Amino acid sequence: MQEKRLRYENLVNAYNSWLYRYAYWLCGEKATSEDLVQETYLRAWRFLDSLKDEKAAKSWLTTILRRENARRFERKQLAYSEIELDSLPSEREDFDTRPEVLALRNALRLLPKKYREPLVLQVLEGFSLEEIANIFDLPRNTVATRLHRARQKLRKHLNGEEQLVQVNELP
Amino acid sequence: MNCLEFRQQILVDPYTKFGPAENHLSQCERCQDFANEIKNLDANIYQALNVSVPEGLGAKVHLKQSLSEQNNPHKPQLWLALAASLMAVAVFMYQLVAPSAVQPNPTSAIVSLVNQLAEPVIAHVNHKSHDFYAVDHQPISNTDLQSVLSGLSAEIGTKISVENVLYAAICPVDGTRATHLIVKDGSDKYTVVLIPDHAPSKAFEIDDELWRGYISPHPAGAIAVLAAATDNHAVARIKEINDQYIQSFYLSAER
């Protein structure tokens, strides 16, 4: 039991910041992000014995958090119209406030989720293509295509060549 | 490696390190500018994504876990007992109410167990669902549908109108060639996967976080009928639809 608790504490200390940021870009709300992190770790504690390789811990926790987010929508039965798109990162005090970064933050908010999610994993936490492919259960080439398009869309949006538009999405 | 290939690679991973890209970068000034632009873009993306984390979040996680353990020391046992009771009642009720709905054999009651086939089927539809449910698909042509079905020597019964088939493809599922269809029924959409060369002994209920439905024995294999878990209306009708589709899809006699 003591050994399990030590493992658990190490996981919390090592990855809670990453999980919070990822949750924030999934749901766009501080309070919900905290809840998602808490629920993720509660589930991780219950199934900690199934984590055999510590090197896989970050991917394992990320996968749990994605599922918790999906369950959140299932529990609440959120409809398209109930998703508060404007709530996606809007708390300016949390951000670098340089104009180019603010413009990017807005562009990221408009970027379709299927492009934004792998980009968050790669840029913010350095996940490899293979790790992202495993988390999303997608072929590696599909992930590569999405990352390519994500950067291309952001670049064109910032250069005024192509405007990203708001779309309602399910989780 | 030419400029186009290099730029495609750099957009996938600006920090890629492999020989051909490095060689091209050292020789092409325009691609050096492009690589710098994308690296700068990534640095700004990082800043934009890097929100501050609430103070004491780790401590809160530890506290919640400790309280959870203290407040519910017997929760797992209670949960298991409750689940077992519900399962027994569900099986009993099913046998009373619909003993032959899924299969004539009364011993084949639907149970909430996921058989070995469920995992690859769900993995496949999860992978594909990104494309299917993101947009409204138009019905496919009769020629396309027949082409797909004939690839598996499968046929479609008269209870399902060809106009309601939104998608049809031959897909690899668990090492075999399965027929994957999306069928519209009113406003609901159902995923149907016909899997030859698998013979489940009885019907299994799928209660996945993203999918609800059944995998059932079929005259020449197995059939999975699934609805998206978030689609309440479709899920409410899944039993009825499953029974209907089992009758409607079949594999032709020569198989």
Side-chain angles (χ1 to χ4, degrees), chain B residues 50-80:
Chain B
N50 197 24
V51 297
S52 62
V53 178
E55 278 188 35
L57 178 61
K60 285 184 200 170
V61 169
H62 286 308
L63 181 63
K64 182 158 185 173
Q65 191 274 324
S66 298
L67 290 173
S68 171
E69 285 291 297
Q70 286 173 12
N71 293 337
N72 302 294
H74 302 300
K75 192 174 176 182
Q77 292 88 331
L78 283 172
W79 183 86
L80 281 175

Side-chain angles (χ1 to χ4, degrees), chain A residues 21 45 74 94-95 151 155, chain B residues 37 42 48 51 209 212:
Chain A
R21 291 189 177 108
W45 168 261
E74 198 176 318
D94 280 346
F95 289 83
R151 288 191 174 88
R155 185 168 166 266
Chain B
E37 181 198 333
D42 255 43
V51 297
E209 64 186 79
R212 303 280 190 276

